[in-house]
């Protein structure tokens, strides 16, 4: 009887601890989202004033193009990894390392191809093409970093992800406001995003080293399993982004009128 009471008490204590973890992580994510949203609003105001309608239209087109390409670098691997490493009886580090390796090489391939394809779109100016190249570097860091976000999520340590994200956004904001004050070029401003996203990734790697010892791993049966399980979700993501973004990427011819239309999107 006493043993049953003790077991029930331990079970209740575990439930309370789990509930506290969920509540804490939810609260931290809300605070982080508020802060990142606030920095984004400040950036939008600053960039629209500095770049003007035409320049901001180019800016949004670059981001629409790269975000469209970024879907092919994910394909649902994030959620498959989170599910797998959340199981108590799996080789967490092995799954994480293979996912990280797979997404890194896939992301590198996708963003390099995306940058190359931009040169085949005649309506894109040199500024747009090089801007796509710079933002692709930054988005590669985001893609790799999201694997660490999945790790933090599985460990109920989303405060780490939120801290890294907020610091990265503040770095972007600081550089852009400084570049605007100094009168720097359009491409310098896009470079601020690559720097901030790199800082975000670096912080995630440092904080994530407590949970995994990352190294490149090429366990192809794991890669095959992940591809087979992720592709249905990947198809849905691709179709969703096509629906939302294709009008901002494909129909732009860079007259002042079209740039104005893109900025309004």
């Amino acid at each position: 009887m006493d043993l049953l009471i003790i077991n029930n008490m331990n079970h209740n204590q575990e439930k309370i601890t789990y509930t506290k973890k969920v509540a804490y992580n939810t609260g931290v994510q809300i605070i982080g989202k508020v802060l990142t949203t606030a920095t984004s609003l400040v950036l939008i105001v600053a960039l629209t004033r500095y770049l003007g309608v035409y320049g901001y239209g180019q800016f949004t087109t670059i981001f629409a193009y790269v975000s469209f390409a970024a879907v092919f670098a994910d394909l649902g691997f994030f959620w498959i990894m989170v599910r797998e490493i959340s199981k108590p009886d799996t080789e967490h580090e092995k799954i994480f390392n293979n996912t990280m390796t797979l997404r890194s090489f896939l992301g590198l391939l996708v963003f390099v191809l995306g940058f190359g394809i931009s040169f085949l779109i005649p309506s894109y100016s040199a500024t747009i093409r090089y801007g796509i190249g710079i933002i692709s570097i930054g988005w590669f860091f985001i893609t790799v970093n999201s694997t660490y976000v999945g790790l933090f999520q599985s460990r109920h340590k989303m405060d780490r992800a939120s801290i890294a994200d907020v610091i990265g956004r503040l770095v972007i904001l600081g550089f852009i406001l400084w570049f605007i004050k100094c009168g720097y070029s359009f491409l310098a401003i896009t470079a601020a995003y690559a720097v901030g996203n790199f800082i975000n990734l670096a912080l995630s790697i440092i904080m994530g080293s407590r949970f995994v010892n990352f190294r490149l791993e090429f366990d192809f049966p794991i890669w095959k399993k992940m591809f087979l399980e992720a592709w249905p979700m990947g198809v849905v993501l691709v179709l969703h982004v096509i629906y939302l973004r294709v009008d901002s990427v494909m129909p732009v011819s860079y007259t002042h009128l079209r740039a104005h239309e893109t900025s309004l999107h």
Side-chain angles (χ1 to χ4, degrees), residues 109-239:
L109 175 64
V110 165
F111 291 119
V112 169
L113 282 175
F115 177 53
I117 290 171
S118 71
F119 284 84
L120 302 178
I121 302 176
S123 60
Y124 281 6
S125 66
T127 299
I128 296 299
R129 290 165 181 159
Y130 291 127
I132 286 172
I134 294 170
I135 295 300
S136 293
I137 294 171
W139 217 295
F140 172 76
F141 296 143
I142 293 175
T143 299
V144 176
N145 181 70
S146 67
T147 311
Y148 276 96
V149 173
L151 173 67
F152 296 140
Q153 182 172 328
S154 70
R155 297 293 188 272
H156 302 291
K157 298 293 184 181
M158 284 301 292
D159 54 334
R160 272 74 166 178
S162 295
I163 290 169
D165 190 26
V166 169
I167 292 175
R169 297 293 185 94
L170 290 175
V171 169
I172 292 171
L173 176 62
F175 270 109
I176 287 181
L177 293 179
W178 180 40
F179 289 167
I180 289 174
K181 182 179 180 180
C182 296
Y184 283 9
S185 69
F186 180 93
L187 293 179
I189 288 174
T190 61
Y193 281 87
V195 174
N197 291 334
F198 175 76
I199 296 297
N200 189 346
L201 172 60
L203 291 172
S204 294
I205 292 173
I206 293 170
M207 292 186 284
S209 63
R210 177 180 176 183
F211 306 107
V212 293
N213 180 25
F214 171 66
R215 60 185 180 277
L216 294 175
E217 289 195 22
F218 299 86
D219 193 325
F220 295 116
I222 292 179
W223 290 28
K224 180 180 178 181
K225 179 183 177 183
M226 294 193 72
F227 267 112
L228 291 175
E229 294 187 4
W231 76 262
M233 188 180 300
V235 170
V236 173
L237 289 172
V238 169
L239 293 176

